[in-house]
Amino acid sequence: MTQPSAERKPRPRDARATKALLLEAATDEFAEYGFSGARIDRIAERGGANKRLLYVYFGDKDDLFDAVLDEQSKAVIAAVPLPDGDLCAFAAARFDYMLANPRARRLANWRTFERSEPTEAERRSFKERVETVAAAQKAGRLREDIPAVDLFAMVLRLTESWLSAPPGLLAASSWRRNPMSANRLKEHRAALIAAVRSIVEAR
Amino acid sequence: MTQPSAERKPRPRDARATKALLLEAATDEFAEYGFSGARIDRIAERGGANKRLLYVYFGDKDDLFDAVLDEQSKAVIAAVPLPDGDLCAFAAARFDYMLANPRARRLANWRTFERSEPTEAERRSFKERVETVAAAQKAGRLREDIPAVDLFAMVLRLTESWLSAPPGLLAASSWRRNPMSANRLKEHRAALIAAVRSIVEAR
């Protein structure tokens, strides 16, 4: 809502806005093409700035990718809590988040098989999640005969069972209905929560 | 083991061998770069033939990709049976198969988010799997309160929980050990089977 300015020196507010626009453009680009396929000049163009500015703000392609991943990590942590290690609530919230954010889904998918070094924020956030699960096991709220890291890894993947199902499986069910219709998603979400409950309940 | 031949006209055996080599090269290329990233000339070069021959044998890039996917489908079906809808046996076999075949894992991963049209073989094989699960539910061997398609989709994804875990999660557990060590994989495999049993058992 600010008026266009004719001044030469960018004001701090402009710098922040430009940075945010570039990060947004980079997120789109990495989600679409992955790390290797992404092109720095296309990001600059999408963000409406020049390549030099991109380097000044974020460093090289690796640094920029890290900035995107850290931003995504923060967003997921904020949107998908794990209250007292409640993996059912976590699964429902992560399913909803991934459904509403196809871009986050694509990025997460690239993440699992393209580049192997996690950022510090990713590492820390996953470590916290696993520790929360372990604490809930100790408190008797979750089953203890499966290691916390496996319990968390399995629930994490379960939340993508339908959204990242192989196209052949989605088609196999479409003799009955649209695989992404509101009704189908509602039915799957209930199935997901029931399955997670069965896996995690203390016994 | 055949002697090199100086004849001009390729014999049928040579044609079969060339086709197999090209399909193999195409599988490597699609697994590495995905459908859009794969390059026909690189496949021809990898397969030791020229591009024209590739077109003669397989058609265009779409047809070639379909041929690769159909071959993969057949291989997975053969290696990972679903006897009487036993999803625990299926999960263990699919985990072992994916562990032994990183290329199949990469292809499956591309498959879930790159191109959306399934081949006829993919569609048919998934439909058969879901129908097998539904029959086992009817026979009282699997729980009935979760739709067969969801039960199958969830078990399918569960088998990749560790092999396709986010790098940050793998790193989070490595304060204790190598995430892909034989012991870690054995422990995860046991956790996987226990989880699948909890999800699917009739109640």
Side-chain angles (χ1 to χ4, degrees):
Chain A
M1 301 297 168
T2 45
Q3 293 298 315
S5 157
E7 290 172 52
R8 270 288 184 46
K9 224 169 66 183
R11 293 171 302 170
R13 173 172 299 184
D14 293 337
R16 272 204 307 278
T18 306
K19 244 185 120 164
L21 276 175
L22 283 171
L23 196 62
E24 184 66 18
T27 308
D28 284 342
E29 176 80 8
F30 285 123
E32 199 165 337
Y33 300 103
F35 177 74
S36 353
R39 280 174 43 203
I40 290 293
D41 47 1
R42 209 156 39 198
I43 294 173
E45 200 187 327
R46 280 177 169 207
N50 63 47
K51 246 160 76 169
R52 197 191 51 80
L53 203 57
L54 197 58
Y55 282 108
V56 169
Y57 283 149
F58 295 101
D60 65 12
K61 194 183 184 184
D62 275 281
D63 298 328
L64 180 58
F65 192 48
D66 284 355
V68 166
L69 295 174
D70 284 355
E71 183 82 5
Q72 289 290 312
S73 254
K74 265 186 246 161
V76 177
I77 298 250
V80 186
L82 179 57
D84 289 330
D86 182 346
L87 283 166
C88 290
F90 170 85
R94 190 167 192 274
F95 175 78
D96 294 340
Y97 182 78
M98 286 300 181
L99 179 61
N101 294 278
R103 193 174 70 167
R105 215 155 76 219
R106 272 191 81 84
L107 263 176
N109 213 327
W110 284 113
R111 203 73 197 99
T112 60
F113 80 123
E114 199 188 35
R115 218 185 57 152
S116 55
E117 312 78 35
T119 69
E120 205 32 57
E122 286 181 315
R123 189 191 305 258
R124 200 174 46 243
S125 69
F126 280 118
K127 195 163 184 291
E128 276 170 23
R129 302 282 206 187
V130 173
E131 285 167 356
T132 303
V133 170
Q137 288 180 309
K138 233 174 179 170
R141 288 192 301 273
L142 296 175
R143 77 193 282 175
E144 284 200 88
D145 62 328
I146 290 182
V149 69
D150 291 312
L151 220 43
F152 183 74
M154 290 192 287
V155 171
L156 191 70
R157 209 40 86 220
L158 268 185
T159 63
E160 293 158 14
S161 306
W162 196 246
L163 299 175
S164 297
L169 181 55
L170 296 177
S173 78
S174 74
W175 78 89
R176 290 187 305 167
R177 58 206 131 162
N178 167 10
M180 294 297 158
S181 71
N183 276 342
R184 173 80 276 260
L185 290 172
K186 195 178 154 193
E187 187 180 55
H188 174 76
R189 190 179 187 276
L192 166 68
I193 296 170
V196 172
R197 184 163 298 125
S198 301
I199 292 184
V200 304
E201 61 192 357
R203 55 202 63 204
Chain B
M1 301 295 168
T2 45
Q3 293 297 317
S5 158
E7 290 172 49
R8 270 290 185 44
K9 223 167 68 182
R11 293 171 303 170
R13 173 171 300 185
D14 293 336
R16 271 206 306 278
T18 306
K19 243 185 120 164
L21 276 176
L22 283 171
L23 196 62
E24 185 65 18
T27 308
D28 284 342
E29 176 80 9
F30 285 123
E32 200 165 337
Y33 300 103
F35 177 75
S36 355
R39 279 175 42 201
I40 291 292
D41 47 2
R42 208 155 41 197
I43 294 173
E45 199 188 329
R46 280 177 167 205
N50 63 47
K51 245 160 77 167
R52 198 191 50 80
L53 203 57
L54 198 58
Y55 282 108
V56 169
Y57 283 149
F58 295 101
D60 64 12
K61 194 183 185 184
D62 275 280
D63 298 328
L64 180 58
F65 192 49
D66 284 354
V68 166
L69 295 174
D70 284 353
E71 183 82 5
Q72 288 291 311
S73 254
K74 265 186 245 161
V76 178
I77 298 252
V80 187
L82 179 56
D84 290 331
D86 182 345
L87 283 166
C88 289
F90 171 86
R94 190 167 192 273
F95 175 78
D96 294 341
Y97 181 79
M98 286 300 181
L99 178 62
N101 293 279
R103 193 174 70 168
R105 215 156 76 219
R106 272 191 80 86
L107 263 175
N109 213 327
W110 282 114
R111 204 72 197 99
T112 59
F113 82 121
E114 199 188 33
R115 218 184 55 150
S116 55
E117 312 77 35
T119 70
E120 204 33 56
E122 285 181 316
R123 189 192 303 260
R124 200 173 47 242
S125 69
F126 279 117
K127 195 164 185 292
E128 275 170 24
R129 301 283 206 187
V130 173
E131 284 168 355
T132 303
V133 169
Q137 288 180 310
K138 234 176 180 169
R141 288 192 302 274
L142 296 175
R143 77 192 282 175
E144 284 201 89
D145 63 327
I146 289 182
V149 69
D150 292 312
L151 220 43
F152 183 74
M154 290 192 288
V155 171
L156 191 70
R157 209 40 86 218
L158 268 184
T159 63
E160 294 157 15
S161 306
W162 196 247
L163 299 175
S164 296
L169 181 56
L170 295 176
S173 79
S174 73
W175 77 89
R176 291 187 305 165
R177 59 205 133 164
N178 167 9
M180 294 297 158
S181 72
N183 275 342
R184 173 79 276 260
L185 289 172
K186 195 178 152 193
E187 187 181 56
H188 174 76
R189 190 178 186 277
L192 167 67
I193 295 171
V196 172
R197 183 164 298 124
S198 300
I199 291 184
V200 305
E201 61 192 358
R203 56 203 62 203

